[in-house]
């Protein structure tokens, strides 16, 4: 619980869920394991999303605009056209995430097959290194 809370707090403060996970693994966890990492990431994503949702609702009055930012801000980058994300953008982001996940899974599968090929067909120790 301490690691998840640390990840959620840092993620909400800076608007960076991965930064919260890295902080909690470095400072808040006594040991590292994969389920702890996924739980901390889930906590930090939910806390960041919740904070942005409520800040955008209170600041702009439009609850479907997800552009609230974080609690600690190191400056605003202003463009001439200020476009925020809305709820309608979430399906597009999900599609990009699925495509990226499939590409990563394909890379891992090809790498695994290449490793098996090298184990079977390359016999000397010198050739395995290079």
């Amino acid at each position: 619980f301490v690691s998840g809370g640390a990840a959620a707090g840092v993620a909400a403060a800076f608007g960076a869920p991965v930064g919260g996970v890295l902080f909690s693994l470095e400072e808040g966890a006594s040991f590292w394991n994969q389920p702890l990492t996924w739980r901390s990431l889930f906590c930090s994503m939910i806390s960041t999303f919740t904070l942005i949702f409520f800040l955008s609702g209170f600041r702009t009055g439009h609850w479907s605009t997800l552009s609230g930012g974080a609690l600690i801000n190191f400056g605003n980058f202003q463009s001439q056209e200020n476009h925020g994300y809305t709820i309608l953008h979430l399906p597009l982001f999900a599609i990009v995430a699925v495509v990226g996940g499939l590409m990563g899974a394909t890379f891992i599968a090809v790498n695994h097959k290449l490793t098996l090929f090298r184990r079977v067909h390359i016999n000397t120790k010198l050739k395995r290194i290079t």
Side-chain angles (χ1 to χ4, degrees), residues 5-105:
V10 171
F14 294 102
V18 175
V21 172
L22 293 176
F23 175 78
S24 72
L25 288 175
E26 183 179 345
E27 300 295 330
S30 301
F31 60 93
W32 180 84
N33 61 10
Q34 192 171 7
L36 177 67
T37 304
W38 287 112
R39 289 176 185 144
S40 297
L41 181 63
F42 183 74
C43 288
S44 63
M45 287 188 313
I46 293 298
S47 69
T48 302
F49 177 77
T50 304
L51 177 76
I52 289 174
F53 177 76
F54 281 108
L55 282 179
S56 66
F58 289 129
R59 288 181 181 167
T60 64
H62 297 80
W63 291 93
S64 65
T65 305
L66 298 177
S67 60
L71 293 176
I72 298 173
N73 194 349
F74 295 109
N76 291 331
F77 296 101
Q78 297 292 333
S79 65
Q80 293 178 357
E81 299 176 8
N82 190 6
H83 297 290
Y85 299 118
T86 63
I87 295 290
L88 299 175
H89 290 108
L90 289 180
L92 178 65
F93 296 153
I95 291 170
V96 170
V98 167
V99 169
L102 290 174
M103 289 173 62

Side-chain angles (χ1 to χ4, degrees), residues 1-6 36:
F1 287 117
V2 172
S3 180
L36 177 67

Side-chain angles (χ1 to χ4, degrees), residues 105-116:
T106 303
F107 174 78
I108 290 171
V110 168
N111 190 18
H112 179 71
K113 291 195 185 275
L114 179 65
T115 302
L116 293 177

